[in-house]
């Protein structure tokens, strides 16, 4: 057997932030000091290893000398504690107004999951596999998010099954608030998948039917819109690239929203986008 050490590629400041949050949660619950198998610091290390993509939870438990059940419990506790710190939609939009952002960017992504058999009725009244995305040809969860003009993610929604269209998911979770924000001078940019979203949500102008072509003004509008909106894809790249557990979730897909919000809090901390004291 060869023993070796591995390096966790997150800063000590991030570990201490997570550890402080876990310590505060233990105090809130009245957990007696020394009654846990791991200190808040080492629980934070275990949690961050999982967020960085180490999906083998039994192995993580062995590394930290805790049982498989304890490792699962510690990780889910960490997800809950971090997700609770994430801004809600109105807080995110209020801060965007306060920071003087010219617009926000709406985008969606699919988070791969293990096969999940759950049937639901489609809009045509047919039984379909709820978590199967015909667009991506895989089982996944649909996650909507808002980003700043520079691509920093600001807010993430609750997860929807992969069979749900982006526009449908946006109508459920975010469009109402975006209409109000647009009325106060904060428009939204989005891709063509959100065509028909409503006033204040700007999408590319579609190509006319037949052999017609867009006018020069409309082509210029589309080019400018795409040039601004494309940075919104950086938001999910930051979340999924840095916190690799979001590239393929192996726990219950219903947890994707909480995992994404927890990853959002970690991303905000690393980018010094700290919330005001509530």
């Amino acid at each position: 057997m060869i023993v070796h050490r591995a390096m966790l590629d997150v800063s000590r400041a991030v570990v201490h932030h997570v550890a402080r949050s876990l310590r505060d949660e233990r105090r809130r619950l009245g957990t007696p000091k020394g009654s846990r198998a791991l200190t808040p610091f080492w629980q934070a290390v275990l949690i961050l290893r999982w967020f960085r993509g180490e999906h083998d939870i039994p192995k993580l438990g062995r590394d930290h000398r805790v049982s498989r059940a304890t490792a699962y419990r510690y990780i889910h506790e960490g997800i809950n504690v971090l997700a609770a710190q994430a801004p809600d939609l109105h807080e995110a939009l209020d801060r965007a107004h306060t920071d003087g952002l010219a617009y926000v960017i709406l985008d969606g992504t699919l988070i791969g999951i293990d096969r999940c058999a759950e049937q639901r009725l489609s809009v045509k009244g047919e039984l379909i596999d709820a978590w199967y995305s015909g667009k991506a040809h895989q089982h996944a969860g649909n996650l909507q998010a808002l980003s700043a003009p520079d691509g920093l993610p600001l807010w993430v929604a609750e997860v929807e099954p992969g069979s749900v269209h982006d526009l449908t998911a946006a109508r459920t979770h975010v469009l109402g608030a975006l209409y109000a924000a647009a009325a106060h001078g904060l428009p939204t940019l989005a891709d063509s998948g959100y065509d028909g979203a409503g006033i204040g949500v700007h999408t590319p102008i579609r190509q006319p039917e037949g052999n017609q072509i867009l006018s020069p003004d409309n082509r210029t509008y589309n080019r400018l819109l795409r040039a601004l909106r494309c940075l919104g894809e950086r938001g999910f790249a930051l979340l999924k690239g840095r916190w690799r557990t979001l590239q393929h979730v192996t726990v219950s897909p219903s947890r994707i929203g909480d995992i994404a919000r927890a990853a959002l809090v970690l991303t905000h901390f690393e980018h010094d986008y700290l919330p005001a004291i509530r």
Side-chain angles (χ1 to χ4, degrees):
M1 180 180 293
I2 299 174
V3 179
H4 72 284
R5 289 181 176 271
M7 181 177 291
L8 178 61
D9 55 346
V10 299
S11 69
R12 184 167 289 269
V14 174
V15 180
H16 281 303
H17 172 72
V18 178
R20 282 193 299 270
S21 300
L22 294 169
R23 179 200 62 199
D24 293 344
E25 177 68 5
R26 293 185 185 188
R27 288 177 176 173
R28 185 186 70 82
L29 295 174
T31 305
K33 188 175 181 179
S35 63
R36 294 287 195 100
L38 294 180
T39 65
F41 179 87
W42 287 109
Q43 184 183 354
V45 171
L46 183 152
I47 291 165
L48 288 168
R49 287 179 64 185
W50 183 79
F51 269 97
R52 286 290 292 134
E54 296 188 46
H55 287 152
D56 192 340
I57 296 180
K59 177 181 179 298
L60 286 174
R62 291 193 300 271
D63 288 349
H64 289 266
R65 298 181 180 179
V66 297
S67 69
R68 172 179 177 171
T70 300
Y72 271 100
R73 187 171 67 251
Y74 279 180
I75 287 171
H76 282 284
E77 181 182 45
I79 293 170
N80 292 338
V81 167
L82 289 171
Q85 301 175 25
D88 64 26
L89 177 56
H90 297 289
E91 289 171 337
L93 290 174
D94 286 346
R95 179 160 185 183
H97 275 293
T98 301
D99 291 347
L101 300 187
Y103 54 87
V104 293
I105 301 169
L106 173 63
D107 199 11
T109 193
L110 292 171
I111 306 294
I113 62 172
D114 289 345
R115 186 177 182 85
C116 181
E118 180 183 333
Q119 290 190 324
R120 69 185 299 173
L121 284 175
S122 70
V123 294
K124 297 180 179 179
E126 301 172 347
L127 278 177
I128 60 171
D129 190 340
W131 291 92
Y132 184 78
S133 169
K135 177 181 177 181
H137 303 291
Q138 66 171 339
H139 285 79
N142 182 316
L143 197 64
Q144 301 293 304
L146 293 177
S147 298
D150 63 358
L152 180 70
L154 304 176
W155 168 85
V156 292
E158 187 51 76
V159 67
E160 292 288 340
S163 62
V164 176
H165 190 273
D166 279 341
L167 182 56
T168 302
R171 283 177 175 148
T172 301
H173 296 288
V174 67
L175 287 187
L178 293 182
Y179 298 152
H184 290 88
L186 183 66
T188 301
L189 308 186
D191 62 30
S192 57
Y194 298 91
D195 188 39
I199 296 174
V201 182
H202 301 280
T203 58
I205 299 172
R206 290 185 177 274
Q207 189 75 19
E209 295 182 359
N211 295 324
Q212 301 181 51
I213 61 173
L214 288 175
S215 68
D217 286 347
N218 287 340
R219 291 201 301 272
T220 301
Y221 169 86
N222 283 352
R223 281 196 294 270
L224 291 173
L225 181 63
R226 292 191 181 101
L228 295 173
R229 188 204 57 78
C230 68
L231 291 177
E233 297 179 0
R234 177 176 178 257
F236 280 123
L238 284 173
L239 291 175
K240 297 168 71 173
R242 178 59 171 157
W243 311 111
R244 289 197 293 266
T245 194
L246 282 171
Q247 293 177 7
H248 186 89
V249 171
T250 57
V251 298
S252 170
S254 64
R255 296 288 279 156
I256 290 175
D258 287 332
I259 295 168
R261 283 187 287 273
L264 179 70
V265 170
L266 295 172
T267 300
H268 283 180
F269 185 87
E270 289 195 328
H271 288 78
D272 294 323
Y273 190 77
L274 302 178
I277 297 175
R278 300 179 183 178

